[in-house]
Amino acid sequence: MTMKLYAVSDGPPSLAVRMVLHSLNIPYELVNIDFIAGEHLTEEYAKMNPQKEIPVLDDDGFYLAESIAIMQYLCDKYAPSSKLYPRDATNRAIVNHRLCFNMGFYYASISAHSMAPIFFDYQRTDMSLKKVNNALSVFETYLRDGGTKYAASDFLTIADFGLVSATLCLEAISFDLSPYPLIQKWYETFKDENPELWEIAKSGMQEIAEFEKNPPDLSSMKHPFHPTRKAKV
């Protein structure tokens, strides 16, 4: 049975998982979920993921949600010796930390400032900008103190996939990263040294950039907790 990834084409968590699948040369079927149509909010989708969030992996009937868990699972099952998710306890702990830092702190702040106002009835505020700059400052500190080429090591790990997918949201809204030179260097290094992976990420970034210019109409979506904008008359 072919592995399936239920994903959204411009969703950073989906992009991160797609980069792992590509890196490990795992064949899979990409099933694009129509976010604007609310396909992820259906009861049918909830059978795979009661959280009704994207992405979801279907590995021969084993359904797994949450991008971090999916990336870890793919490495553990299909490439246990891969440096993408190192076996050494200390190295793996740093990777795990960066994954958690991204989801709970870095991407959380970036998404609230960049993505939420594009798709839902939220505004970019001084406070949301302050949170983004705080997250960037912390990541800059980790890169400085770690002294590594990539986010968790001198080699690429799954931590980079999540962090790159978050950072591209800022590029999509033309956010100035120049005050954070180590982040800039890390981001450009990823692009330069991993062109095939960047093509995956760039496709999502370009979609977000287009939505930034022309926000989609989600007024018909009955989202359980995000406020939707009223349609323009």
Side-chain angles (χ1 to χ4, degrees):
M1 183 175 178
T2 303
M3 181 185 293
K4 294 181 181 180
L5 179 67
Y6 295 83
V8 62
S9 57
D10 61 351
S14 295
L15 296 171
V17 172
R18 287 175 58 196
M19 285 191 275
V20 175
L21 287 162
H22 182 85
S23 297
L24 299 180
N25 296 309
I26 299 174
Y28 72 101
E29 177 186 350
L30 180 62
V31 182
N32 284 304
I33 297 298
D34 190 335
F35 181 85
I36 294 174
E39 285 186 357
H40 60 301
L41 300 177
T42 65
E43 290 309 309
E44 191 65 26
Y45 188 87
K47 293 176 183 178
M48 297 188 295
N49 181 10
Q51 296 169 234
K52 298 182 178 180
E53 294 178 335
I54 313 167
V56 172
L57 183 76
D58 174 6
D59 188 8
D60 196 17
F62 171 61
Y63 294 101
L64 185 63
E66 295 292 346
S67 60
I68 293 176
I70 295 170
M71 291 191 289
Q72 293 168 329
Y73 167 78
L74 290 170
C75 290
D76 280 339
K77 181 171 182 179
Y78 293 99
S81 61
S82 172
K83 293 172 71 175
L84 280 178
Y85 196 38
R87 305 295 296 180
D88 175 79
T90 301
N91 292 338
R92 178 167 283 206
I94 297 171
V95 172
N96 287 339
H97 170 267
R98 300 297 191 265
L99 289 166
C100 294
F101 161 72
N102 177 61
M103 190 57 68
F105 194 86
Y106 188 74
Y107 177 59
S109 299
I110 290 173
S111 178
H113 183 74
S114 62
M115 301 287 275
I118 292 176
F119 294 99
F120 298 103
D121 194 15
Y122 295 110
Q123 303 297 318
R124 289 179 187 142
T125 65
D126 290 342
M127 180 55 69
S128 69
L129 176 60
K130 184 177 182 179
K131 289 180 179 179
V132 170
N133 280 307
N134 181 51
L136 288 165
S137 179
V138 172
F139 187 25
E140 184 84 359
T141 299
Y142 286 140
L143 291 172
R144 182 198 69 202
D145 292 352
T148 54
K149 181 166 69 171
Y150 286 109
S153 179
D154 281 325
F155 49 83
L156 196 66
T157 70
I158 58 175
D160 294 288
F161 298 151
L163 289 159
V164 164
S165 297
T167 305
L168 65 82
C169 298
L170 296 178
E171 181 178 357
I173 64 169
S174 302
F175 190 96
D176 182 16
L177 287 174
S178 62
Y180 307 97
L182 296 180
I183 293 177
Q184 272 196 319
K185 181 179 179 182
W186 158 81
Y187 191 49
E188 294 305 318
T189 295
F190 179 87
K191 294 180 183 181
D192 293 342
E193 296 192 355
N194 307 279
E196 292 185 1
L197 297 176
W198 175 241
E199 280 301 310
I200 294 171
K202 185 174 71 172
S203 66
M205 186 273 292
Q206 291 173 334
E207 284 192 43
I208 297 167
E210 284 301 313
F211 282 133
E212 168 74 357
K213 298 173 186 174
N214 301 290
D217 180 5
L218 273 66
S219 58
S220 62
M221 180 186 288
K222 292 182 173 59
H223 201 281
F225 47 85
H226 287 307
T228 53
R229 280 187 295 269
K230 293 182 179 178
K232 293 181 180 179
V233 179

